């Protein structure tokens, strides 16, 4: 299969890593550790071009001024901030140069904190720190110290003309710099549903815990894959090869409303156990049959009770009929 490459790929150096996005030093007390940053992650989404449907020509966009209608060269484009009344304040390079921005070539360590105290909601993009100096002992010292202390370093760094909060941690033998959102950038979860009075029964909670336990285990990233992207790659490859694109029909899923929460939880636990090969399907089937048998027994008992007077009447009628037959036989004998 021909490898699919997203549009506009990063350039790579001789070591197979993308070009570094930052070069500077980590200030570890009085120790300076020269490093460069590489992106630790990459998006695997397939990028598309906007094209003309008729001939496949690329759609181009021009930078046009809204005032004079003329196309503006990239070098003449500046940053502007729009005020509430619509007025534009234009900022140039000198305005940004006078801002109190920390050195763009330094990672300043502020404190060391337990990793669990940093909310994952604040975490942003991660970068690998590659030591560039001839002596890597300070780098190894900081890495091993963080691992032994089970702490992460909270740091400040200037990336792309912006001061950012970040954390420095050890992972797989290297130091990783991961950006963090500032506290005022995290929204409060005011969704409104917490005002409703909802009571969860102990049985429901226990069944939900059973479902969690049935699917509990260690996180193995290799077990997961992007099925949508894989299918899209097959479609692109098929069209590139001139083959007919085959559409796979998916079985419809039930979208009905769940009426019995306990029943839904019980079935979820059974399906989870069956998925993990623990015989949950048979157990669920036995539970379902048992419940059905119990309902049938209750219904039969109720029917028997309702039909009891009729049975007594039938017995009495049979006895009367039998007595009449005996009297008739006696008269015939006489």
């Amino acid at each position: 299969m021909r490898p699919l490459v997203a549009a506009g790929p990063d350039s790579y150096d001789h070591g197979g890593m993308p070009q570094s996005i930052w070069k500077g030093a980590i200030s570890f007390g009085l120790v300076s550790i020269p490093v460069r940053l590489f992106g630790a992650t990459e998006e695997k989404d397939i990028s598309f071009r906007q094209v003309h449907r008729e001939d496949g020509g690329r759609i181009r966009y021009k930078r046009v001024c809204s005032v004079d209608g003329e196309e503006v060269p990239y070098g003449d484009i500046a940053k502007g901030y729009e005020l509430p009344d619509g007025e534009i304040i234009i900022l140039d390079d000198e305005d940004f140069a006078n801002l109190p921005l920390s050195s763009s070539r330094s990672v300043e360590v502020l404190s060391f904190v337990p990793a669990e105290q940093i909310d994952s909601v604040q975490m942003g993009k991660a970068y690998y720190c590659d030591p560039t100096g001839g002596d890597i002992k300070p780098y190894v010292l900081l890495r091993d110290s963080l691992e032994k202390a089970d702490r992460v370093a909270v740091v400040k760094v200037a990336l792309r003309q912006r001061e950012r909060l970040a954390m420095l941690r050890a992972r797989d033998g290297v130091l990783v710099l991961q950006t963090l959102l500032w506290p005022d950038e995290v929204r409060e979860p005011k969704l409104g549903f917490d005002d409703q009075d909802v009571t969860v029964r102990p049985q429901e909670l226990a069944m939900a815990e059973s479902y969690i336990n049935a699917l509990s285990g260690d996180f193995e990233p290799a077990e997961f894959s992007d099925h949508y992207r894989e299918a899209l790659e097959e479609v692109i490859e098929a069209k590139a090869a001139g083959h007919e694109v085959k559409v796979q029909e998916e079985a419809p899923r039930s979208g009905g409303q769940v009426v019995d929460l306990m029943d839904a939880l019980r079935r979820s636990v059974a399906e989870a156990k069956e998925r993990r090969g623990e015989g949950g399907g048979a157990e669920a089937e036995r539970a379902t049959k048992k419940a059905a048998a119990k309902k049938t027994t209750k219904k039969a008992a109720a029917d028997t009770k309702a039909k009891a007077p009729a049975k007594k009447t039938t017995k009495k009628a049979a006895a009367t009929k039998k007595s009449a037959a005996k009297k008739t036989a006696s008269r015939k004998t006489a």
Side-chain angles (χ1 to χ4, degrees):
M1 178 179 289
R2 181 192 312 166
L4 298 177
V5 181
D10 295 331
S11 56
Y12 288 79
D13 64 5
H14 62 279
M17 292 292 291
Q19 291 290 344
S20 62
I21 61 118
W22 185 91
K23 292 183 180 180
I26 300 174
S27 299
F28 180 44
L30 299 178
V31 179
S32 181
I33 308 173
V35 296
R36 54 181 179 170
L37 301 183
F38 296 96
T41 60
E42 59 179 338
E43 294 290 339
K44 290 293 187 178
D45 288 342
I46 298 176
S47 299
F48 295 96
R49 305 286 191 184
Q50 287 189 334
V51 298
H52 188 195
R53 186 185 299 274
E54 299 297 329
D55 53 19
R58 290 275 305 277
I59 303 299
R60 304 286 185 180
Y61 292 91
K62 295 182 179 180
R63 303 179 182 90
V64 179
C65 177
S66 62
V67 177
D68 57 18
E70 298 292 332
E71 185 175 357
V72 181
Y74 186 80
D76 293 341
I77 297 178
K79 289 184 174 68
Y81 181 83
E82 185 176 358
L83 298 177
D85 58 0
E87 185 180 356
I88 300 295
I89 303 299
I90 300 177
L91 302 175
D92 53 27
D93 294 339
E94 294 182 359
D95 297 321
F96 289 102
N98 296 327
L99 294 176
L101 185 65
S102 61
S103 173
S104 61
R105 300 302 175 191
S106 176
V107 177
E108 180 186 359
V109 177
L110 304 178
S111 63
F112 298 94
V113 301
E116 59 270 14
Q117 291 185 0
I118 298 180
D119 194 339
S120 59
V121 175
Q122 285 187 258
M123 297 181 185
K125 189 170 178 59
Y127 302 91
Y128 290 137
C129 300
D130 179 38
T132 58
D135 185 11
I136 64 171
K137 186 174 181 179
Y139 182 96
V140 176
L141 173 63
L142 177 58
R143 180 200 66 190
D144 294 348
S145 299
L146 290 175
E147 288 183 341
K148 186 174 182 180
D150 195 19
R151 298 265 169 154
V152 298
V154 178
V155 302
K156 272 187 178 182
V157 61
L159 292 176
R160 295 184 172 90
Q161 299 299 320
R162 180 186 174 189
E163 187 175 60
R164 298 179 182 271
L165 188 67
M167 70 174 180
L168 199 64
R169 59 189 175 92
R171 179 184 183 274
D172 294 339
V174 300
L175 290 174
V176 177
L177 179 84
Q178 189 156 12
T179 59
L180 301 173
L181 296 175
W182 296 100
D184 58 354
E185 292 180 321
V186 179
R187 295 173 177 171
E188 291 292 331
K190 297 179 180 179
L191 304 181
F193 73 90
D194 53 348
D195 296 334
Q196 302 179 19
D197 186 12
V198 179
T199 302
V200 178
R201 295 185 299 167
Q203 299 91 330
E204 296 169 343
L205 184 60
M207 191 60 65
E209 291 177 351
S210 299
Y211 178 71
I212 294 175
N213 293 333
L215 289 181
S216 294
D218 296 329
F219 178 61
E220 299 292 344
E223 295 180 357
F224 306 95
S225 60
D226 188 349
H227 298 301
Y228 175 82
R229 177 165 57 88
E230 293 171 357
L232 183 57
E233 289 177 350
E234 292 179 359
V235 171
I236 295 175
E237 287 295 327
K239 298 209 72 170
H243 298 160
E244 181 183 359
V245 179
K246 297 182 179 179
V247 180
Q248 296 181 354
E249 296 185 359
E250 184 178 357
R253 300 185 62 180
S254 175
Q257 185 178 1
V258 177
V259 179
D260 190 344
L261 180 59
M262 278 296 295
D263 182 60
L265 290 171
R266 188 181 297 107
R267 292 184 180 183
S268 299
V269 173
E271 290 179 1
K273 289 183 178 180
E274 185 176 14
R275 192 186 314 168
R276 301 189 62 156
E278 297 181 7
E283 182 180 348
E285 186 177 357
R286 287 195 298 269
T288 303
K289 289 182 178 180
K290 185 176 180 181
K294 190 174 181 181
K295 290 182 179 180
T296 304
T297 303
K298 288 183 178 180
K299 184 178 180 181
D303 294 342
T304 300
K305 186 175 181 181
K307 295 178 179 180
K311 289 183 178 180
K312 290 182 179 179
T313 304
T314 303
K315 290 181 179 180
K316 184 176 181 181
T320 304
K321 187 176 180 180
K322 187 177 181 180
S323 178
K326 286 182 178 180
K327 290 179 179 180
T328 303
S330 298
R331 284 197 296 270
K332 287 181 179 180
T333 303

